[in-house]
Amino acid sequence: MESKIGKIIFGVSVFGMTLIGNSFLHPVFAEGLGVGKITGNYVNVRSQGSLSGTVITQLQRDDIVTVIDKSNGWYKVKLSDGREGWVYGEYLVVRSSNNVSRGDTETTVGIVTGNYVNVRSKGSLSGSVLTQLSKGTQVEVLDRQNGWYKIKLSNGQEGWIYGEYLSVRNSSSVSRGDVERNLADKLIDFAKSFLGTRYVYGGSSPKGFDCSGFVSYVFSNFGFSLPRTADEQANVGDAVTRDSLEKGDLVFFKTLGSSIINHVGIYIGNGQFIHASSGAGKVTISSLNEGYYLGHYVKAKRVIK
């Protein structure tokens, strides 16, 4: 059942091409009204333009469809797999193909947010690996399907990248700072998904983590290969001062009377960090500015750069 909760709020009309959130992608226009972007989650595609139509499938926010007809507040759409159906107009933003000019179809670009990211022959893990890209590589985005982006490389080669490893923008709005912040936020969200996971000495998987195992596991999900122990991790990246910490920075401590660095966490902003704590017995969030860790803080390093 369609929900208004998932509706996207735009800073400027989509027809002006200034959006809050992901860029509006421009696949090749098929014959019809133009293209549409889904603005809610679990939006029903029905067999006819009314609530009495049977549900063919459901679409997710930001999915792109070809719009081929309109009737009584419903749009007839064509999906990427060729199927056709009807979507209620409340959950679709439509851009008319008649209004498209060269200036409107600004190149949509993506910046790779991980290292050794696979480019595949099709948008699934079953696609063969064509090449690998490093963090910061810029590509042209051609299409999006089922969480994968079809891209074009600088040498003209085309392939598919999983969406988790690509930050998408209009070419005029790409900045290095945006990419770094986007990656750090994704990394922190991923780290938070393990809150409450039990502490296990030597653990480096969701079955149980120690401090450095947790950090290396989280960062490896985004293409970073970090050493295994806290004192070794303290030797990578760029040093940052405590008052210039940013989200995603690594923070290091000497605890339990140790003479060397033996604890590490990930700074998440607002004076807090997430870590696998032996004292708490689980992955938890603690303060840098008060309590035990205030007096045992040693330094910080920046890996996301």
Side-chain angles (χ1 to χ4, degrees), residues 97-117:
S97 57
N98 294 329
N99 295 330
V100 175
S101 67
R102 182 63 182 171
D104 287 336
T105 56
E106 182 180 12
T107 302
T108 301
V109 300
I111 296 182
V112 178
T113 59
N115 287 313
Y116 309 109
V117 174

Side-chain angles (χ1 to χ4, degrees), residues 160-212:
W160 293 81
I161 284 184
Y162 188 50
E164 280 293 307
Y165 303 104
L166 199 67
S167 178
V168 180
R169 297 285 189 277
N170 281 339
S171 57
S172 63
S173 63
V174 173
S175 74
R176 187 66 181 170
D178 285 342
V179 176
E180 292 170 359
R181 286 190 293 272
N182 183 268
L183 175 57
D185 286 338
K186 286 184 177 181
L187 186 144
I188 289 169
D189 286 343
F190 182 68
K192 286 181 177 179
S193 71
F194 298 105
L195 282 169
T197 300
R198 67 191 183 114
Y199 179 92
V200 175
Y201 181 76
S204 58
S205 80
K207 293 181 180 180
F209 294 108
D210 65 12
C211 65
S212 55

Side-chain angles (χ1 to χ4, degrees), residues 281-293:
K282 61 184 178 181
V283 175
T284 188
I285 292 173
S286 299
S287 173
L288 275 177
N289 300 325
E290 60 184 10
Y292 182 80
Y293 294 101

Side-chain angles (χ1 to χ4, degrees), residues 1 3 9 16 57 59-60 68 72 93 96-97 101 111 157 160 162 168 190 203 211 216 238 268 302 305:
M1 183 175 182
S3 169
I9 305 298
T57 188
L59 299 176
Q60 302 300 315
I68 55 181
N72 300 319
V93 173
S96 171
S97 57
S101 67
I111 296 182
Q157 185 180 23
W160 293 81
Y162 188 50
V168 180
F190 182 68
C211 65
S216 61
D238 295 333
I268 63 173
R302 181 163 299 154
K305 51 188 176 178

Side-chain angles (χ1 to χ4, degrees), residues 51-157:
L51 292 175
S52 61
T54 58
V55 176
I56 298 171
T57 188
Q58 290 184 320
L59 299 176
Q60 302 300 315
R61 181 187 298 151
D62 295 340
D63 283 346
I64 303 298
V65 295
T66 301
V67 180
I68 55 181
D69 199 3
K70 180 181 181 182
S71 178
N72 300 319
W74 290 74
Y75 287 99
K76 188 175 184 181
V77 302
K78 185 173 184 179
L79 309 181
S80 59
D81 60 8
R83 289 184 294 172
E84 297 181 0
W86 293 81
V87 170
Y88 187 49
E90 280 288 305
Y91 306 102
L92 193 69
V93 173
V94 180
R95 179 173 174 80
S96 171
S97 57
N98 294 329
N99 295 330
V100 175
S101 67
R102 182 63 182 171
D104 287 336
T105 56
E106 182 180 12
T107 302
T108 301
V109 300
I111 296 182
V112 178
T113 59
N115 287 313
Y116 309 109
V117 174
N118 291 328
V119 178
R120 296 184 180 272
S121 59
K122 58 182 179 180
S124 76
L125 292 175
S126 62
S128 59
V129 177
L130 304 177
T131 187
Q132 289 185 320
L133 301 178
S134 58
K135 184 160 68 80
T137 302
Q138 183 170 310
V139 296
E140 180 180 352
V141 178
L142 304 176
D143 197 4
R144 179 189 179 193
Q145 294 181 18
N146 302 320
W148 291 74
Y149 287 102
K150 186 176 183 181
I151 63 165
K152 185 175 182 179
L153 308 182
S154 58
N155 63 3
Q157 185 180 23

Side-chain angles (χ1 to χ4, degrees), residues 44 53 159 238 268 270 277:
N44 291 327
D238 295 333
I268 63 173
N270 297 319
S277 167

Side-chain angles (χ1 to χ4, degrees), residues 29-45:
F29 292 110
E31 183 178 359
L33 298 180
V35 293
K37 181 175 182 179
I38 301 298
T39 61
N41 286 317
Y42 308 107
V43 174
N44 291 327
V45 179

